Amino acid sequence: MTPAASADGAPSARSPEPRRVLVLGATGTIGRATVRALVRRGHEVVCFVRARAGVGGALARDDSARLLAGAQVRVGEVADPVSLAREGLRGERFDALVSCLASRTGAPKDAWAIDHRAQCTALEAARGAGVNHAVLLSAICVQKPLLAFQHAKLAFERELIASGLAYSIVRPTAFFKSLSGQVERVKKGKPFLVFGDGTLTACKPISDDDLGDYLADCLDDASRRNRILPIGGPGPAITPREQGERLFALLGRAPHFKSVPVGLLDAIIGVLGTVGRVVPALADKAELARIGRYYATESMLVWDAQAGRYDAAATPSTGSQTLFDYYAALLKGEAAAERGDHAVF
Ligand SMILES: NC(=O)c1ccc[n+]([C@@H]2O[C@H](COP(=O)([O-])OP(=O)(O)OC[C@H]3O[C@@H](n4cnc5c(N)ncnc54)[C@H](OP(=O)(O)O)[C@@H]3O)[C@@H](O)[C@H]2O)c1
C-alpha cells in the first residue's frame, strides 16, 4: 500500500479499498485522531458515542459531531448490547471495527466492564454485522501485566485472537498527553518531578495523529494483519530526566529537578491497600497508586523476556511528530494538552 503521510499536514493517501468502519472510543484522545485519519482515507466512518462524552462528560452530542467531522455520529451505551444493536449497528453491515475504547479511570471494576466486557460484546455484535477485521488500540504495558486494567486488556486481546476475525492489535508506547502533565508547573517556576534520578524508565513517545494514522493504515496494510504490533514514535527512547532537561532548555532556564523516592509510592500503596479492604473507594485509589508506581519503574518499550530488560532498538517507530516539538507548541500556546480523569501531576 501507499503509506499515508498526514500527521505533518500533508494530504493522506486514500485507501485503495474504502470500507464501512464502526469506531468505538471515538471521543477519546486517540479515537479522535483515528477518526480523522480514517475519514482522510475515504472510509465511511460510523462512531458510536455516549450522550455525554469526553473528560468529565463535557461533550454533548453536537460537540462530539463537530469533533468527529466527516463521520456519522450515533449515540447510545456501548456496554449495553441492546443499545449497541439498536442505536449503534441498526441492523446494517460493516466491514471493519476499530476500537479505541478504554476505561477512563483504570480502576479494576471499570477496566473489566469496558476494556473486557464491553469490548467482547462489541466484537460479537460487529461480527454479526459482517465485520471481518478488527483493529484494537491496546497498550505496550500489557506485555508485563501487573495491574487490573492490563489483565482486562489482555483477556480481550485473547478473545479477539480466538475470534477467527482478522485482527491488528496495536500496542503503543507513551502518549504525549501522559508526558506533558508537568509543563504548566515548570512554566510557573516549579521543579520537574522525577522518580529516583529520572533515568529509571524510558519510552518512545508517539503523537495522537501519528498513532491515528498507524491505526487507520492497519485496514490496508496486509503486514499488520493477525499481528500484535508494539509501536512508538520517531527518534531515540527518552527518559523523564531528558524530558525535563529539554523543557527547561525550551524555557531558557537552568534545569531544576526534584527527586521523589519510589518508596513513597510503596508506602501510599501499602496504606491505601490496607484501608481499602474496608473502604472500597480507597481500594480504587490504591490501584491508581499502583498504576503510578508501574509507570515510575517500567519503561514503555518492548520487553526482552530472555534478556530480562527493555529494548529500545526492538521497539518499532512510526510517524514524524516529536514530544519536544509538542512541548514547544504547548509553551507557545499553539497546542493544549488534554488532561485525563486521573492525571498524576
Ligand atoms: N496514556 C498513555 O500514554 C497510553 C500509552 C499506551 C497505550 N495507552 C492505552 O490507550 C488507551 C487510552 O487511549 P486514550 O487516551 O485515547 O483514551 P481516552 O481519551 O481516555 O478515551 C477513552 C474512550 O473510551 C470511551 N469510554 C470510556 N469509558 C466508557 C464507557 N463506560 N462507556 C462508553 N465509552 C467509554 C470514552 O468515551 P467518553 O468520551 O464518553 O468518556 C473515550 O471515547 C488505553 O487503552 C490505554 O491503556 C495509553
Side-chain angles (χ1 to χ4, degrees):
M1 63 161 285
T2 319
S6 55
D8 58 1
S12 282
R14 283 179 73 83
S15 166
E17 191 192 336
R19 295 172 181 77
R20 195 146 199 272
V21 186
L22 177 68
V23 180
L24 304 177
T27 47
T29 306
I30 304 305
R32 295 177 199 183
T34 306
V35 167
R36 289 194 291 272
L38 289 166
V39 168
R40 279 195 301 266
R41 283 157 180 73
H43 296 295
E44 185 184 342
V45 181
V46 174
C47 304
F48 189 50
V49 308
R50 288 198 271 196
R52 299 292 322 186
V55 175
L59 303 174
R61 186 208 165 99
D62 286 353
D63 302 316
S64 296
R66 249 192 315 277
L67 272 176
L68 303 169
Q72 195 185 131
V73 171
R74 298 179 181 178
V75 171
E77 283 299 326
V78 70
D80 172 2
V82 176
S83 174
L84 178 61
R86 201 174 47 207
E87 280 102 37
L89 295 154
R90 298 183 184 168
E92 298 165 7
R93 287 193 69 75
F94 288 85
D95 304 310
L97 171 69
V98 175
S99 181
C100 299
L101 190 65
S103 148
R104 279 196 176 269
T105 64
K109 204 168 145 213
D110 196 24
W112 280 101
I114 297 302
D115 295 74
H116 182 255
R117 243 183 349 269
Q119 296 272 32
C120 290
T121 303
L123 182 65
E124 217 27 63
R127 185 219 288 277
V131 160
N132 58 32
H133 184 188
V135 179
L136 173 68
L137 169 64
S138 184
I140 200 161
C141 60
V142 306
Q143 67 191 332
K144 244 187 132 184
L146 298 176
L147 303 164
F149 86 86
Q150 295 164 339
H151 288 293
K153 280 181 181 304
L154 264 183
F156 177 64
E157 284 192 3
R158 284 194 291 268
E159 296 267 354
L160 175 54
I161 291 167
S163 71
L165 297 186
Y167 65 86
S168 304
I169 295 173
V170 176
R171 291 181 176 176
T173 61
F175 300 167
F176 286 7
K177 70 174 174 183
S178 302
L179 303 172
S180 306
Q182 297 199 64
V183 172
E184 274 308 306
R185 53 171 283 129
V186 167
K187 212 169 141 185
K188 287 183 192 144
K190 294 187 178 160
F192 191 93
L193 303 176
V194 289
F195 289 101
D197 67 354
T199 63
L200 300 178
T201 64
C203 64
K204 286 185 169 184
I206 185 164
S207 81
D208 305 347
D209 281 319
D210 283 339
L211 181 53
D213 284 339
Y214 188 86
L215 284 155
D217 286 338
C218 287
L219 291 180
D220 289 319
D221 186 340
S223 73
R224 295 187 196 165
R225 277 191 175 218
N226 299 328
R227 291 207 35 214
I228 290 178
L229 302 152
I231 192 73
I238 50 176
T239 63
R241 188 154 201 104
E242 287 165 324
Q243 291 160 33
E245 279 165 355
R246 186 59 78 95
L247 197 46
F248 286 110
L250 285 166
L251 284 163
R253 295 196 205 138
H256 178 199
F257 289 96
K258 184 168 179 195
S259 169
V260 180
V262 174
L264 180 67
L265 286 175
D266 291 329
I268 294 170
I269 292 166
V271 172
L272 291 175
T274 307
V275 187
R277 287 196 202 116
V278 278
V279 186
L282 291 185
D284 279 356
K285 293 253 181 313
E287 183 69 5
L288 289 188
R290 275 184 219 107
I291 294 173
R293 192 194 191 286
Y294 188 98
Y295 293 118
T297 53
E298 302 287 341
S299 290
M300 297 299 109
L301 296 170
V302 166
W303 174 249
D304 180 338
Q306 244 174 0
R309 63 176 177 85
Y310 286 101
D311 188 344
T315 309
S317 289
T318 188
S320 58
Q321 298 179 334
T322 71
L323 179 69
F324 297 145
D325 287 342
Y326 181 67
Y327 280 176
L330 283 177
L331 292 173
K332 283 190 219 143
E334 292 166 3
E338 188 191 49
R339 307 304 308 279
D341 285 349
H342 53 99
V344 176
F345 293 116

